[in-house]
Amino acid sequence: MAANVLEEDSMEQDIESPVTIHQPKLPKQAREDLPKNINKECAKRKIQRYVRKDGKCNVHHGNVRETYRYLTDIFTTLVDLKWRFNLLIFVMVYTVTWLFFGMIWWLIAYVRGDMDHIGDSTWTPCVSNLNGFVSAFLFSIETETTIGYGYRVITDKCPEGIILLLVQSVLGSIVNAFMVGCMFVKISQPKKRAETLVFSTNAVISMRDGKLCLMFRVGDLRNSHIVEASIRAKLIKSKQTKEGEFIPLNQTDINVGYYTGDDRLFLVSPLIISHEINQQSPFWEISKAQLPKEELEIVVILEGMVEATGMTCQARSSYVTSEILWGYRFTPVLTLEDGFYEVDYNSFHETYETNTPVYSAKELAEMASRAELPLTWSVSSKLDQHAELETEEEEKNQEDQNERNGDVANLENESKV
């Protein structure tokens, strides 16, 4: 009994979202065999996102055994760290190097006997006015940072100190270049630029130019523009192949104008990105009634170069089925003022309802084709009727001719008699 309960609990956790973190994913056919009451309860639960609304990917890498690969690219590893860890490493690296070389300076003075001749004017120490570890530590800081207060100075009677001075100067320059470069790259990252690139809260499906389209809106809050901006969209949905292989979170490309060039944007004012639902679209067979039952997610990606820095910036967002509104359009946000256009971002996320068929694009195409069939049938039927009338007239004429020939023959026979 307890084993059955555990099995049901694991199945419930698996149906709750497309991704199960702690347990393996059940195949599709296994999920279909579950009791109906469990399916109803799971349908009400929230679908786990693959990409969150703020653009962060909701994926955690676990059981990574080859951790040494992170150290082979230590610079990128440091840049990817959070700010608190980055600052901690920044302070620790400088502190450790200062302490390390300070210890060496103190050891040199101790081995040479400088500590035993403090205050002796006849003794030439390795470093003047170095009388303990604290003064050695301060001299290490002055040497590596090239401060040079002038109180503690290395003398020419200490060749080992001269070598150490060269090593510390070179090593200190390398540490400065590495750490300052790391901090500069982290500060200049264009991630924060993506904060001013906004996506509409919902995506909508409605008719546009007589075709069913999926649409969402993007905008840029800054006056400095994104250069070479382009938009992409991916459908994240689990699928099963014809051979029975279950592919979790399969990625399918959604055409948003790649072949026509509409995916390349001039993002000065908010734009509505449209995807035409045709035979190549993954939404070809999805109707309004079927949409809430689908477990899918649309990931949208906006890329471009920051005009001020020339660095590439990427902004991401996603829409799950509950955020796709069937039969709605976006409220216009652009108005013409006295000499300029004004964008009202208060209405950026607003939508309004419009008349939209509840059928899928496939069903609409089939209805349109059936509506054209009666016209074809009427033309063909008229041609067939015309041909039949001509045939009947020919047969009637032939019968009349035969009757006339028979009457003439009868008259001739009567005359002979």
Side-chain angles (χ1 to χ4, degrees), residues 120-134:
D120 188 356
S121 59
T122 61
W123 180 264
T124 304
C126 182
V127 179
S128 300
N129 300 316
L130 194 150
N131 52 15
F133 178 75
V134 176

Side-chain angles (χ1 to χ4, degrees), residues 205-208 210-212 215 288 326-329 352-359 364:
I205 294 179
S206 61
M207 300 298 293
R208 173 177 278 193
K211 298 177 182 178
L212 201 62
M215 293 170 284
K288 181 179 180 179
W326 191 289
Y328 284 81
R329 290 178 184 168
Y352 64 94
E353 195 170 1
T354 182
N355 292 329
T356 304
V358 297
Y359 306 101
L364 292 176

Side-chain angles (χ1 to χ4, degrees), residues 129-186:
N129 300 316
L130 194 150
N131 52 15
F133 178 75
V134 176
S135 59
F137 176 69
L138 293 176
F139 180 71
S140 174
I141 296 175
E142 295 174 16
T143 302
E144 190 167 333
T145 57
T146 65
I147 294 176
Y149 290 113
Y151 183 69
R152 279 172 287 271
V153 182
I154 188 171
T155 62
D156 56 355
K157 303 298 183 180
C158 183
E160 60 271 22
I162 296 174
I163 295 174
L164 181 60
L165 180 67
L166 294 174
V167 172
Q168 186 175 4
S169 299
V170 174
L171 212 64
S173 299
I174 295 174
V175 171
N176 288 334
F178 187 84
M179 297 307 299
V180 173
C182 178
M183 295 296 291
F184 175 78
V185 171
K186 190 168 183 64

Side-chain angles (χ1 to χ4, degrees), residues 136-301:
F137 176 69
L138 293 176
F139 180 71
S140 174
I141 296 175
E142 295 174 16
T143 302
E144 190 167 333
T145 57
T146 65
I147 294 176
Y149 290 113
Y151 183 69
R152 279 172 287 271
V153 182
I154 188 171
T155 62
D156 56 355
K157 303 298 183 180
C158 183
E160 60 271 22
I162 296 174
I163 295 174
L164 181 60
L165 180 67
L166 294 174
V167 172
Q168 186 175 4
S169 299
V170 174
L171 212 64
S173 299
I174 295 174
V175 171
N176 288 334
F178 187 84
M179 297 307 299
V180 173
C182 178
M183 295 296 291
F184 175 78
V185 171
K186 190 168 183 64
I187 292 172
S188 60
Q189 278 184 320
K191 290 183 178 180
K192 296 301 180 183
R193 180 64 177 89
E195 298 293 333
T196 54
L197 297 174
V198 293
F199 297 87
S200 58
T201 305
N202 298 303
V204 298
I205 294 179
S206 61
M207 300 298 293
R208 173 177 278 193
D209 295 330
K211 298 177 182 178
L212 201 62
C213 295
L214 169 71
M215 293 170 284
F216 58 92
R217 184 149 60 184
V218 296
D220 187 2
L221 302 179
R222 287 187 179 273
N223 292 326
S224 59
H225 309 307
I226 295 294
V227 182
E228 296 293 332
S230 61
I231 190 75
R232 292 183 291 130
K234 293 283 185 179
L235 175 66
I236 309 298
K237 182 181 178 182
S238 301
K239 63 172 291 187
Q240 188 174 16
T241 63
K242 297 179 180 179
E243 295 77 15
E245 179 188 5
F246 180 73
I247 304 176
L249 302 178
N250 182 62
Q251 298 185 13
T252 305
D253 187 65
I254 299 176
N255 185 16
V256 288
Y258 177 79
Y259 298 104
T260 59
D262 292 336
D263 62 327
R264 294 182 287 274
L265 310 178
F266 182 51
L267 197 59
V268 178
S269 61
L271 299 175
I272 297 177
I273 310 302
S274 176
H275 162 67
E276 180 185 338
I277 302 179
N278 50 27
Q279 293 183 357
Q280 288 74 35
S281 172
F283 302 95
W284 173 245
E285 298 180 356
I286 297 180
S287 62
K288 181 179 180 179
Q290 186 181 358
L291 180 61
K293 303 176 184 178
E294 295 288 333
E295 290 187 0
L296 56 85
E297 182 178 356
I298 301 173
V299 177
V300 292
I301 306 168

